[in-house]
Amino acid sequence: MERVFKKLKGDKWIWIIVILLSVWSILAVYSSTGTLAYKEGHGTETYLIKHFTIIFAGLVLMYFSHLLDYRYYAGISKILMIITIPLLLYTLLFTNSVNDANRWVTIPVINQTFQTSDMAKLALITFLARMLTRKQENIKDVKSAFVPIMGSVCVVIILIAIANMSTAIMLFAVSILLLLIGRISVKQIAYVSIAGVFLLTLVVLLGPRRQTYISRVETFMGKGEPDPDKEFQATQAKIAIATGGLFGKGPGNSTQRNLLPHPYSDFIFAIIIEEYGAVGGVVLAAMYLILMFRCIRIVTQSPKAFGALLAAGLGFSLTIQAFGNMAVAVGLGPVTGVPLPLVSMGGTSILFTSVAFGIILSVSRNIEELKQKGQGKLPNDDRKVKDKVIVGEIPAMA
């Protein structure tokens, strides 16, 4: 084990959490895909092998992402943003609707679907961290700093919101948190919050999925006559949780997996509680809380503002998404299509989540290397100057 961890740089606790979540994901997905396999005429092992392959590919991506110096992600984020906005537009305008939403692009040759919002989340958070770092000297200036930063945030979030409101709201919340950490004035953040809520409300009321959004909120709020069809998913998830008890029915013994439409993705947390009990649910939630704690620790130790903002933004994004998924499963929020990071069955979601973990670990690895060299943490007053120098070291990418 020591030999393995010598090759895995960065925060060891994050590596342990990633491995535990990956193993738990394989067990939960294998258990919850029985009905899907029966309907499509495949063996359950088919989905197990496919999911294991994606998890393995994600771990490989995470490993190579954490080896790359996190400062290079400043330049990569700019390239990603240039690709992301046209790709989101293309997804909305030219792709086929699946479940009343245009979220997926089919990759030629391999014929696999690709959810563009997964890349957009990573692109926006890394780009926002880069912009906040580069604009620190005139961060209070509206024209040179505030408008360019918020322009990119608003464009990406609105393009995502048209097809995927839950992801857009979570990403908007992460952006606000990054603005707070990045020393944007409270007054400007208040303006952003008001403008963001107004724009998202317009999408809800006037967008192509307005009926879906309004219906889900009304169902959650209990307005109008009860509709068993609309409440079916939430009801079955509550039954799974209620019958799980304290210690659960045991791995592979879920019954609600045969009734829930998406027990392997959107409602996998309900299946986990049914099989592993409330204890299993608490342990899983604790893993994400520990992850956030370790990310905050990386933020406080990072000598560079860019590294701190990267760890904070990606850490908040993963944690908010995780608890958003859990909240829906236990009936604390309207039904959404947000997966549980690194646990729900998926393709691009797992891969981009793995890259996000890799970037966080890259920041942590840099901190460890500085400590080994005896450089320690730089004073806060030196962060702005040092970050300007670091970004300048990679002119071809920045």
Side-chain angles (χ1 to χ4, degrees):
M1 185 63 73
E2 290 183 8
R3 192 175 296 176
V4 173
F5 276 117
K6 283 182 180 179
K7 295 183 178 180
L8 303 179
K9 306 297 182 181
D11 193 301
K12 301 300 185 290
W13 280 103
I14 294 181
W15 277 111
I16 291 170
I17 290 170
V18 166
I19 293 169
L20 290 175
L21 288 176
S22 299
V23 172
W24 209 336
S25 174
I26 292 170
L27 294 174
V29 168
Y30 180 60
S31 172
S32 58
T33 51
T35 302
L36 178 65
Y38 175 77
K39 288 179 179 178
E40 298 193 357
H42 300 302
T44 311
E45 292 77 12
T46 302
Y47 296 99
L48 174 64
I49 293 170
K50 181 179 179 181
H51 186 63
F52 177 81
T53 302
I54 293 172
I55 288 287
F56 180 76
L59 291 174
V60 171
L61 277 175
M62 193 184 309
Y63 177 75
F64 285 107
S65 297
H66 104 290
L67 290 181
L68 181 65
D69 192 315
Y70 77 89
R71 292 169 289 188
Y72 283 97
Y73 290 106
I76 293 172
S77 68
K78 187 176 179 181
I79 298 170
L80 285 177
M81 281 295 288
I82 293 171
I83 297 171
T84 293
I85 294 176
L87 191 58
L88 286 171
L89 280 170
Y90 174 82
T91 305
L92 289 173
L93 298 175
F94 301 109
T95 60
N96 296 325
S97 177
V98 179
N99 295 329
D100 195 33
N102 298 74
R103 301 179 187 174
W104 293 268
V105 173
T106 302
I107 303 173
V109 183
I110 62 174
N111 199 33
Q112 292 294 313
T113 56
F114 164 62
Q115 190 163 340
T116 51
S117 61
D118 290 327
M119 186 175 82
K121 286 188 292 185
L122 184 65
L124 181 60
I125 291 171
T126 53
F127 183 75
L128 191 54
R130 175 183 182 269
M131 290 292 288
L132 287 170
T133 301
R134 293 175 66 92
K135 301 290 185 179
Q136 278 300 300
E137 287 191 352
N138 55 348
I139 197 67
K140 306 295 183 182
D141 188 89
V142 174
K143 186 176 180 180
S144 63
F146 182 72
V147 172
I149 290 172
M150 290 320 304
S152 59
V153 171
C154 290
V155 169
V156 172
I157 287 177
I158 293 303
L159 289 175
I160 293 174
I162 293 172
N164 193 342
M165 179 59 69
S166 53
T167 298
I169 291 173
M170 291 180 188
L171 190 55
F172 182 67
V174 173
S175 300
I176 295 297
L177 288 170
L178 275 180
L179 294 179
L180 285 168
I181 298 170
R183 300 193 312 118
I184 296 288
S185 71
V186 175
K187 184 179 179 180
Q188 290 176 339
I189 291 174
Y191 289 146
V192 172
S193 300
I194 294 170
V197 171
F198 175 73
L199 290 172
L200 291 174
T201 303
L202 284 180
V203 173
V204 171
L205 297 177
L206 304 176
R209 301 194 71 210
R210 56 186 176 276
Q211 294 300 329
T212 302
Y213 295 148
I214 294 172
S215 175
R216 287 180 176 179
V217 173
E218 287 180 345
T219 300
F220 173 69
M221 299 297 291
K223 292 184 177 181
E225 293 295 325
D227 188 338
D229 292 334
K230 292 180 180 179
E231 298 173 4
F232 182 77
Q233 294 185 84
T235 301
Q236 297 305 319
K238 291 175 184 176
I239 293 172
I241 292 167
T243 56
L246 188 61
F247 297 104
K249 300 176 180 178
N253 292 325
S254 167
T255 54
Q256 298 309 117
R257 65 186 176 185
N258 300 318
L259 298 171
L260 273 167
H262 302 286
Y264 43 82
S265 55
D266 300 351
F267 287 92
I268 198 166
F269 185 64
I271 302 302
I272 287 173
I273 293 181
E274 185 182 8
E275 294 188 348
Y276 298 91
V279 172
V282 170
V283 170
L284 186 60
M287 287 187 189
Y288 289 106
L289 288 175
I290 294 170
L291 167 66
M292 190 67 249
F293 171 76
R294 301 306 296 184
C295 288
I296 292 172
R297 191 169 181 271
I298 292 170
V299 171
T300 59
Q301 292 183 343
S302 177
K304 315 294 180 189
F306 180 60
L309 289 167
L310 270 182
L314 295 173
F316 280 128
S317 175
L318 293 168
T319 309
I320 290 173
Q321 181 179 329
F323 282 93
N325 175 280
M326 294 177 191
V328 170
V330 300
L332 294 178
V335 174
T336 65
V338 176
L340 192 59
L342 217 62
V343 176
S344 294
M345 186 173 78
T348 54
S349 174
I350 290 176
L351 298 179
F352 280 108
T353 296
S354 300
V355 172
F357 273 113
I359 295 172
I360 294 170
L361 287 165
S362 176
V363 179
S364 177
R365 180 177 67 85
N366 180 265
I367 294 170
E368 288 183 355
E369 290 174 353
L370 288 176
K371 286 182 178 179
Q372 291 173 359
K373 294 176 182 178
Q375 294 183 20
K377 181 180 176 180
L378 294 173
N380 289 333
D381 292 340
D382 291 341
R383 285 192 178 193
K384 293 184 290 183
V385 176
K386 287 292 181 180
D387 274 302
K388 285 188 67 180
V389 173
I390 291 300
V391 173
E393 288 179 358
I394 45 175
M397 301 182 69

